[in-house]
Amino acid sequence: MKNTDKLAQGISRRDFIKGAAAGAVGLAAAGMLGGCASDNDAKTPEASSAPANNDVLTADTMAQKKWSFEIAPDPIPDSEIKETIEHDIIVIGSGMAGLCTMCSAMEQGADVLMFSAGSQPYSRGGSNHAVGSKYQKAKGIDYSPEIAREIVKTEQTSGTYFMDKKKWERWINNSAESVDWMIDKMEAKGLHVCLEPGYYDPDGVLTVPSASHNFWNEEQPFGALFGAPLQAQAYASHIADMGGEIHYKTVAKYLIRENDNTGRVSAVVAQKEDGSYVKYIGRKAIVLATGDFSRNKDMMAKYSPWAYEIFKDTLSDEIDYDAGLVYNGLMPGDGQKMGLWVGAAWQKTYPCAPMINGGVPGPSHAVISNFWGLNLDIRGQRFQNEVTNFAYGAMSVLQLPQRTAFGVWDVNYAYTQDQWEPFGHCVDEENGIKAYSPEEYIEMWNSNSNYFKADTLEELVDKMYEGYSDEVKANALASIKRYNEFAKAGKDDEFHVNPEVLYPIETAPFYGSKVTGATFLTVCGGLRTNDHLQVCDADDQPIEGLYNTGIMVGDFYANSYNFVMPGQNLGAVCCTLSYLLGRELAEL
C-alpha cells in the first residue's frame, strides 16, 4: 500500500513513519531485511496466554461456526411419510399474505392448496396503506404516486436507501388496484371499509394523507387494531367458496430441492397434529408465507441484534402459531430456516428491521404521535425535538439512561385542537368511534391512572420524579421554565420545535406521564427475495419453484419499521405484492 493510501485512511504522517520504523525493526529482527540477525536477537517469543482454539471469537472462527437454525434436520424416511398430496401451488401459512396470495391465484383459475401450523386463518392489526384507491377518491382524498413521491423518498432516506426500491415501486404503482380488489372481497363478506386519519407534521417532513384502510363490522368497529383477523376470515371464506382447501395444525418441517439441493424446490414435508408426516408436492411453486422469526432468539441475536439486546428478556421462546396481537414475539422463523437449508441467501439489508413504537405518552395530535409537548429524561432535561411520530419517539426513549422519559403539559393543552382523534377513529366517523372534545379529553386525563396530576408544577415534579434527587427535580423545573420562555417567545432556541405547536405550561391543573422502554411487535424481513417474490441464492439467482411473501419478504424495510406510511406492512407485502404474486403464479 502506498504511503498516500495510509494517510487517506486517517493515519497521521508522524504515526505512519513511527509505524514503518517499528515494522522495519521487526523485520530486521526476523532477518528479513539486509544483514543477519545475531543469535542473541533470535529469541523465542513468549507464549500467548489466549486459548489456542475456536473458543476465541475472531472473524475466521465466527465464519467456521454455525447457528442452531442453520443446521438442517435429517430427512424423514419415505416409509414414515404416510400421505402425499399434489397440487400446482402449495402455500404455507394462513396469515394475511398467504391467504391473499391463494385467493388471488385461485380467482385466476390456479390449482392451490394451503396448509398452516396455526389452527385458523389469522392476522394482526388492520391498517392497509394504499395510494389512490377508489375509496380514497370517493372521500375526495387526492393521493397519487406523484403525490406520494416525497413521502416515499423520506421513507427510503430514513432507511438509508438500504432496501429494494423495485419492490417499493411495484407496491406504489399497483396498490390502488390491489386494495380496490381487497375492498370488493371484504364487502362481499359483510365487512365495511374506512380510512384512518392522516398524519400532519407542522414541519411537513412526516405528513401523509389518509391512506390507511381498515375493515370493520358492527360487532368489531375497531378495524385499525382488530380488522386484520376479520379480513383473514373473509379471505378463507372466499377460498372455501372457490373449492380451496386449507389444512390447519400442520407444521412445515423442510423443503425438498431436487438434484442434491441444486435444482428446483418441488415439495415440502410437514407434520400433522397426530404426529404423522405428509409430503406436499408443488408442481409449479411452493410459497412461504410463515411470518416473522421474533420467537427464535438465535435468529434475533444474529439478524436483529440491537433489538434482541433490548427486548430479549421479554421475548418468549414458546411456539404459539395462533399468537395474536402480543408483544413478546410472534413466529419462530420456520420459513426462513427452511429456505436457508435449501440454499437461499439472507437479505442484504442488515440488521433486519424491528417494529417498535411507543414514544413519550401524552395528548396525541395524531394517533401515531409521540407527545409533542415537553419531553424530559431522568435528569430532568429535554432530549429532543418532540414533534415526531411514536416510532421515532420510541427510538429516542430507548437511547436514554434507564430508557425512561417523562411528558409534561397543562390543562390548556386540551384546547390546542378543536377535537382529538382516538385510536380507531376514521374519516367521517363511519365506524361510530367519535372524536373527543377538549372537555372530554380532560376528563380522560383525570381518570387515567397512568398520568400524574397536580395543582402546582413543584407538586407535579415531585410526583413524577419520586425517588430522584432534589437536583434532578430542580433540573426538571428549570427545563419547564425555559420551555415556557421559548413558547411565549415563539422560538425554541434549544431544540427548535415549530412554534405552531409550542405551548406554555402555566395553567393548573398540570399533568405528567412516565414511560420506560417501548413496545416490540415483530421483526421484518428474511430470505433474499426479488421484486417478483422469488427466493434467491447468494448470486441473486432465483431458486426455481420457491417464493416468499408477507412480512418475511427480504430487503423491503431497513433500520426500523417507522410508521411514516401507516399500514405499509399489511398494505404492501401482505396485500399488493401478495395479490400480484397470486396473479403471476396463476400464469405459470
Side-chain angles (χ1 to χ4, degrees), residues 500-577:
E500 180 183 327
V501 290
L502 197 61
Y503 305 106
I505 307 165
E506 55 186 8
T507 304
F510 301 100
Y511 297 89
S513 65
K514 179 181 180 181
V515 66
T516 297
T519 297
F520 169 83
L521 177 62
T522 185
V523 63
C524 308
L527 302 178
R528 191 169 302 178
T529 312
N530 68 16
D531 55 317
H532 291 276
L533 303 194
Q534 294 171 289
V535 176
C536 298
D537 63 19
D539 295 321
D540 296 329
Q541 295 301 307
I543 296 174
E544 185 182 357
L546 186 60
Y547 297 80
N548 186 49
T549 193
I551 197 169
M552 62 190 299
V553 168
D555 294 310
F556 198 86
Y557 301 105
N559 294 344
S560 68
Y561 185 92
N562 56 34
F563 295 88
V564 172
M565 301 181 82
Q568 186 181 32
N569 183 60
L570 287 179
V573 293
C574 296
C575 175
T576 299
L577 296 188

Side-chain angles (χ1 to χ4, degrees), residues 33-68:
L33 293 179
C36 297
S38 69
D39 290 341
N40 290 335
D41 292 330
K43 295 179 180 178
T44 302
E46 293 183 6
S48 170
S49 60
N53 57 44
N54 284 348
D55 291 338
V56 177
L57 187 62
T58 67
D60 290 334
T61 58
M62 182 174 68
Q64 294 164 9
K65 299 278 187 181
K66 278 194 173 184
W67 287 81
S68 61

Side-chain angles (χ1 to χ4, degrees), residues 21 71 73 136 171 183 195 201 235 266 330 337 356 366 456 463 505 530 576 583:
I71 301 171
Q136 288 170 307
W171 165 49
I183 290 171
L195 270 174
D201 178 357
Y235 275 134
S266 58
L330 295 176
K337 291 187 291 185
I356 294 171
T456 68
K463 289 182 176 181
I505 307 165
N530 68 16
T576 299
R583 292 297 195 255

